[in-house]
Structure formats: C-alpha cells, structure tokens
Amino acid sequence: MPQQTAHDTILELRRVSKDFATQRAVADVSLEIPRGAFFSLLGPSGCGKTTILRMVAGFETPTTGEVWLNRQRIDSLPPYRRNVNTVFQSYALFPHLSVQGNVEFGLRHKKGTDDIKRVLDVLKQVHLEAKASRKPSELSGGERQRVALARAIVLEPDVLLLDEPLSALDPQLRKQVRVELRDLQRRVGVTFLFVTHDQEEALSMSDQIAVMNGGALEQVGTPREIYAQPRSRFVADFLGAMNWIDGIGVRPEAVSICPEGRKAVVTGVTYLGSFCHIAMTLTEGGELIAAQVPPGSTLQSGQTVCVTWNSVDEIHV
Amino acid sequence: MKLRNIFLAPTAILMAVTMLAPLAIIMVYSLLTRGAYGGVELPWTIENFTRLWDPVYAVIFLRSFWIAAVATALCLVLGFPLAMFIARSGSRKNLYLSLVILPFWTSFLIRTYAWMFLLRDTGILNSLLQALRIIREPLSLLYNDGAVILGLVYGFLPFMVLPLYATLERLDPSLLEAAADLGARPRDTLVRVTFPLCAPGIRAGAILVFVPCLGTYLTSDLLGGSKTVMIGNLVQNQFTASRDWPFGAALSLALMAIAMVLLFAARKRGEEML
C-alpha cells in the first residue's frame, strides 16, 4: 500500500520555487489542498499567487520543487495533459465561437466526445441555456464569467483554477457572484484553487486560505484562524485594518469608547453609513488608534475620550 | 469648404487625373477599332470583348490565375511562420519588421535582374553547382513557370507577412493558453484558434499578393521569357508589338473586373465571419 495522508489531498506543492530573469516569484512554497475544498491564495499583487496557479495549470514550470495532482507528478506535463482547468482573469473566451462552441471546445480534446447533452446541462447550471448561440461579444461581463466557468467545469477537472475571476465585474455584481460561485462549488464538488487579492472575497468564500507575501507563504488556515490568529504582522494587516499598541494588535471593531480606559484625542470622524470610523491619537504614547462606533455617534475632532478593549481580542504576533 | 476637405483636395485631384481619367480613356478605347499603325479609330464596336472568349486567351487567363494562386499559397505557407516568429519576438519585433521591408530599398526591377544573374545557365547558382561537380550540364532554372513563381513569391512575400503580423500581434496570448488548458495540442490550437482569429490578416495578405501577381508583367517578362505569358504580358503586347490598343484596353478591363469581383467576394465573406 502506498502511504496515504490523513486527509485526502488532491493537489500538493512540494518546496516549489520559481525564478524569473530578474526576481524570485515563488520561494520554497509547500501546500496541500484537500479534495473538494474551496482553497484561496490571498496576497497583494506580485506576491506569487498567480505564478503558483500558472505552475499548476502548466503555463510555467517550477525552477525547483514538485507539483503532484492525484498522486501523479505533473510539473513537467504540458497544460493539455493535466486534468486541471482555468478560469482566466480576462476569461479568454474564444471570440469566434458561440457560447456553446466555447463550452464544447475542450470536450473533444479532453474527453473525446462532443456530448451535447452535457454541454446543455452545464449551461443550465450557470443559467445560460438561453444564450447558447450568442457570441461572447454579445454577453454582459457576468455572463462571460459564467461561460468561462462552464467551459472549465464541463471537463470535470480534478482542480478548477480561478485567477481573480471576479475582478472584472462591477462591485455590486461581485458580491452576488461570490455567493453563486460558492454554491456552485458545493454543488459540483470540484476542488477550487482561487487566486485573489481581495481579503473579503477570500474570507467569505474559502474553506482554507493561504496568505502569501513576497513569493513566500505567510500562513495557511481557515478564514477564522487567519483573521483572528494571524501569525505575522503582515497577515494581520492584510486581512483587515489593525491598531498596533505596544506591539499588540487590536482590530478597530474590538475597540470601544467608554468612560474608563486609556485617554485619546479624536483626530477624525468618518461617516460610513453602517458605522462611523473614529481616528484617534493616544495621549500616552502618541500611537494612532482607530475604532468603529455606531453611526449615530456625536463624537467630534479634538474631543478627548477613553478607549478600551477586551484582552481576548488582542492579537499577539 | 471645411479645412479637412482643403487638405484632401490635392489627393482627390491627383486620383482623378491619374486614375479615373486613364480608366475612362481605357474604357473608350476598348470600344473602338484598332488603327493600322496603333492608336484607335471609329467605328464603335464590342468585338474586342467578344474576342476575349477565344480559347487562346482563356489559356493565358487560366495560366495567370494558376501562377498567381500558387504564388499566393506559397507566400502564405512561408509568411505565416515568419509573421508568427516576428509577433513573438518581443523587443526585436521592429528590427525583424524592418528586415522584411528592407528589399523595398532597392528597385523591384533591379532585384528581378539579380534573380536572372542567379538563375541563368551561366549564372551564379549553376556555376557553383558545376564547380562543386554536383552537376555537369547547367540546370534550366530560368524562363519557366517555376522561375516566375519564385520571383513573385520573393517580391510579394512582405505583402503577406505584414498583414499576418498585424493580426497575430493583436492575438491575445491568453486565448492560446486557454486552448491548451482545454486540452488542445499546439497543432489543434493553430487550427481551431490561431487560424480562425487570423482570418482577416490571411484574407488581406492573400488579396495584396494575389491581385498584383495576377496582373504582373515585369516578373513574367524577365524570368518567364517567351514561354510563360501572363495577362500582363498579353496586355503589354497589344500596346507594342501587336498594335491593337482597343483589344489591350479590353484585356485590361477584364483583368480589373476579375480583381474587383475577387475583392468584393473576399469582403463579403469577411462580413459573414463577423
């Protein structure tokens, strides 16, 4: 019996590095992605997350390290021999083919069939059955994104790779598509490897998140873990606003303004609809601190207040 | 008058004088009778056009079509990989593009003469092969259809490469990645993605090569000799040796009509694709 990991890993990166001419894009990254998971790679632009995705897809070859898919080493296989599919950031739909033509494209090569029923099934899943004969240029941004999705999932890949698939949509639509995408992933059960720089996106959709910075992995964990127990200052800051007081992190939503506590002077009040963002300077120590208070707050700049927080909300890195 | 029309005027006048007026003259000549020593005379006649159906001329038309078609196909086969190479050369694109158009710095006539020096019985190629004792008798490389096609491909290759380059350069590389991602091997990607998306460039290149090849007269005159007569040589003959200006005019109009039908068909097809 070959040795088996405790949980079922579908995709594994073993000490993968990638060097480009002038820089190291990915530095010694090891990752295990569980079968059926919604796994996000989160980080600022240039952190290497897209390069990892491209190495899994086969568009780049690791300089060192190994990529394993379903217990098969794939890092030297060309893209067309790997059972993964990509939803591109720009969608990369074939402009000369109809929606149906785009969805059928891979079936002939990867499955050796032109199973029309399957194409229509998938189009129905993404609510595009009525637009099967349209050209991509006749579709809205959201529809194009769904064609890109349908084109990939019709091939039943082991892992679906999504390269910032929501970044081309307008903000209103983006939030709605997040939910749809999550539902789709649950329904079809395909493992998603989702690349994003938007921490809200990653938090709201993922089973697990890997935070990257400067080509290296910072932390891997569930959304709650990496938000509430960040292991580095970078992760803490990247996942949301953070106050740093004497080396201890406190999120603005954990800071409350009450009669007793440390004295601070209000330097700015920003009304944000569902809450007010209060910027303050601590009288002792002079550190900046932010808090979120109910939108009805009457605080004004120049006022002296007291701030406090629960020690359970403190983040030590 | 608007300013832009004022600047347009010189071109408009030039076009009228050098294109439309000669065309009108040709049309009139094609309907007149030949003069004894060249030139044209009355009465009006359509005989010049009925003569076009003579099999002698049909053979020349067909041969011209054949030669132009082969030259166009060869330009496409040779030009596509070259255009693809240039489009993917990054910062050296401009260098390679200027190399493609470098031959234009020398007159086409001189370059065609150069081919004669290369190909003739006592030319460089034959002398070299004989000196190396690969052949004993010189190969007849000149004065045949092959030499004409070679000259045409050589002369018109840039007209194929440039429009192909323009479409290939605009081709979104992520589409090629998407094709590979969906299981297409490089060959499948070429057939199912690259070619269809480059159709406008292929069409433009084919027209730019085929139409002038069809009407060529210099290349076939110098490299084809008396054996390979194309429509262009036939037209030239009517205005010189044969002194049959009206028939020459009718031949020119027929050639022009064919070219226009082809252009129109290609455009129509292009609209369908969109």
Side-chain angles (χ1 to χ4, degrees):
Chain A
M1 276 287 282
Q3 64 180 92
Q4 213 154 350
T5 40
H7 52 270
D8 190 6
T9 299
I10 193 158
L11 177 68
E12 187 181 353
L13 274 70
R14 294 187 189 159
R15 309 206 57 181
V16 168
S17 295
K18 176 68 184 178
D19 295 327
F20 289 118
T22 53
Q23 59 164 356
R24 165 156 281 209
V26 174
D28 199 17
V29 167
S30 295
L31 266 183
E32 284 184 23
I33 292 156
R35 187 182 298 276
F38 195 122
F39 194 103
S40 292
L41 287 173
L42 174 67
S45 60
C47 72
K49 57 194 192 299
T50 297
T51 307
I52 287 187
L53 198 79
R54 291 174 60 80
M55 286 192 286
V56 176
F59 306 134
E60 308 283 357
T61 319
T63 310
T64 57
E66 302 171 3
V67 182
W68 291 72
L69 179 71
N70 249 338
R71 297 200 194 85
Q72 190 202 353
R73 191 171 167 186
I74 60 163
D75 45 77
S76 57
L77 295 179
Y80 52 85
R81 302 255 316 268
R82 302 183 183 204
N83 197 21
V84 295
N85 289 110
T86 308
V87 174
F88 292 82
Q89 186 169 14
S90 61
Y91 312 141
L93 300 180
F94 303 118
H96 59 299
L97 299 177
S98 66
V99 168
Q100 188 178 332
N102 269 278
V103 177
E104 280 170 346
F105 190 95
L107 278 178
R108 192 191 301 176
H109 300 298
K110 281 216 161 154
K111 300 275 176 186
T113 68
D114 281 328
D115 191 346
I116 188 77
K117 204 176 139 273
R118 203 147 122 200
V119 171
L120 295 179
D121 265 1
V122 172
L123 283 178
K124 203 174 282 178
Q125 285 205 32
V126 296
H127 313 295
L128 280 172
E129 66 271 36
K131 309 219 163 169
S133 56
R134 298 284 183 87
K135 288 279 172 69
S137 57
E138 301 168 309
L139 301 179
S140 71
E143 289 167 338
R144 283 180 209 180
Q145 193 253 357
R146 270 138 62 199
V147 177
L149 209 54
R151 184 174 74 171
I153 60 174
V154 75
L155 300 173
E156 298 173 325
D158 287 333
V159 179
L160 184 68
L161 311 169
L162 301 104
D163 186 8
E164 310 227 6
L166 309 184
S167 62
L169 304 176
D170 51 63
Q172 209 62 32
L173 189 57
R174 214 178 289 172
K175 291 201 172 163
Q176 179 199 331
V177 173
R178 264 189 222 164
V179 180
E180 288 177 6
L181 204 56
R182 177 79 244 221
D183 287 350
L184 181 78
Q185 193 265 337
R186 292 251 164 85
R187 210 162 56 235
V188 298
V190 173
T191 311
F192 273 31
L193 181 55
F194 184 90
V195 160
T196 181
H197 65 264
D198 182 334
Q199 89 283 359
E200 213 178 289
E201 232 169 72
L203 288 172
S204 63
M205 299 164 81
S206 317
D207 296 314
Q208 279 198 66
I209 300 175
V211 184
M212 290 188 68
N213 182 32
L217 221 49
E218 288 274 336
Q219 187 174 354
V220 183
T222 64
R224 281 169 204 278
E225 279 166 9
I226 62 162
Y227 187 80
Q229 297 147 37
R231 277 217 297 269
S232 68
R233 219 170 152 127
F234 174 83
V235 174
D237 281 331
F238 195 76
L239 277 136
M242 185 63 99
N243 298 304
W244 294 101
I245 316 290
D246 305 332
I248 294 163
V250 184
R251 299 253 179 232
E253 68 268 22
V255 174
S256 47
I257 292 168
C258 35
E260 302 241 328
R262 300 174 71 157
K263 282 206 165 65
V265 178
V266 177
T267 55
V269 177
T270 311
Y271 176 71
L272 287 160
S274 57
F275 63 88
C276 269
H277 180 269
I278 312 293
M280 292 163 286
T281 308
L282 289 175
T283 319
E284 242 176 89
E287 284 143 311
L288 302 176
I289 182 164
Q292 287 180 12
V293 300
S297 166
T298 54
L299 286 173
Q300 285 185 336
S301 284
Q303 223 175 315
T304 302
V305 293
C306 288
V307 292
T308 188
W309 56 85
N310 271 326
S311 57
V312 294
D313 292 322
E314 289 181 353
I315 290 166
H316 303 262
V317 297
Chain B
M1 201 147 99
K2 279 186 187 158
L3 191 64
R4 61 162 183 238
N5 292 344
I6 293 173
F7 284 112
L8 198 58
T11 313
I13 293 167
L14 190 73
M15 293 289 271
V17 172
T18 61
M19 303 276 297
L20 295 179
L23 190 61
I25 293 171
I26 294 277
M27 280 178 170
V28 172
Y29 276 19
S30 70
L31 294 167
L32 288 165
T33 311
R34 68 185 283 193
Y37 306 101
V40 289
E41 290 173 356
L42 286 168
W44 300 96
T45 173
I46 58 157
E47 200 223 320
N48 300 308
F49 287 99
T50 52
R51 263 178 75 195
L52 288 173
W53 301 107
D54 186 324
V56 178
Y57 304 120
V59 168
I60 293 174
F61 266 82
L62 283 179
R63 184 211 292 276
S64 301
F65 263 93
W66 169 245
I67 287 176
V70 171
T72 306
L74 284 174
C75 278
L76 183 59
V77 170
L78 296 173
F80 201 90
L82 178 59
M84 181 112 65
F85 171 79
I86 298 173
R88 293 179 182 176
S89 302
S91 58
R92 280 203 287 269
K93 273 178 196 170
N94 288 332
L95 170 70
Y96 293 143
L97 278 180
S98 37
L99 287 178
V100 166
I101 55 173
L102 191 65
F104 292 144
W105 290 38
T106 309
S107 137
F108 186 53
L109 179 66
I110 290 169
R111 286 184 283 134
T112 307
Y113 270 118
W115 276 111
M116 293 176 72
F117 280 103
L118 279 169
L119 299 178
R120 67 185 178 185
D121 286 3
T122 56
I124 294 170
L125 208 57
N126 272 318
S127 312
L128 188 69
L129 290 174
Q130 280 171 316
L132 293 172
R133 314 220 169 240
I134 294 168
I135 53 168
R136 296 182 66 178
E137 297 299 313
L139 304 169
S140 27
L141 301 171
L142 201 54
Y143 306 128
N144 54 43
D145 288 3
V148 175
I149 289 169
L150 177 70
L152 291 174
V153 169
Y154 162 76
F156 290 103
L157 189 59
F159 294 100
M160 181 64 87
V161 171
L162 294 178
L164 284 180
Y165 164 80
T167 49
L168 283 168
E169 211 260 334
R170 269 181 293 149
L171 189 65
D172 179 358
S174 70
L175 292 177
L176 306 179
E177 286 184 348
D181 189 75
L182 295 167
R185 285 150 193 279
R187 181 175 3 105
D188 303 320
T189 303
L190 195 66
V191 174
R192 296 187 72 191
V193 179
T194 312
F195 283 161
L197 290 176
C198 285
I202 294 172
R203 206 159 35 234
I207 290 169
L208 285 177
V209 173
F210 185 80
V211 170
C213 279
L214 188 63
T216 191
Y217 119 85
L218 180 73
T219 309
S220 46
D221 194 44
L222 294 183
L223 304 181
S226 54
K227 271 187 278 175
T228 301
V229 177
M230 291 179 67
I231 309 173
N233 310 101
L234 188 61
V235 172
Q236 186 219 6
N237 249 318
Q238 305 311 311
F239 283 97
T240 54
S242 306
R243 291 186 190 168
D244 193 345
W245 292 18
F247 186 53
L251 280 168
S252 306
L253 284 177
L255 180 62
M256 217 179 301
I258 290 165
M260 281 176 79
V261 166
L262 285 174
L263 278 174
F264 187 74
R267 237 182 94 182
K268 195 89 181 157
R269 177 111 176 72
E271 278 162 15
E272 274 167 28
M273 298 261 311
L274 295 171

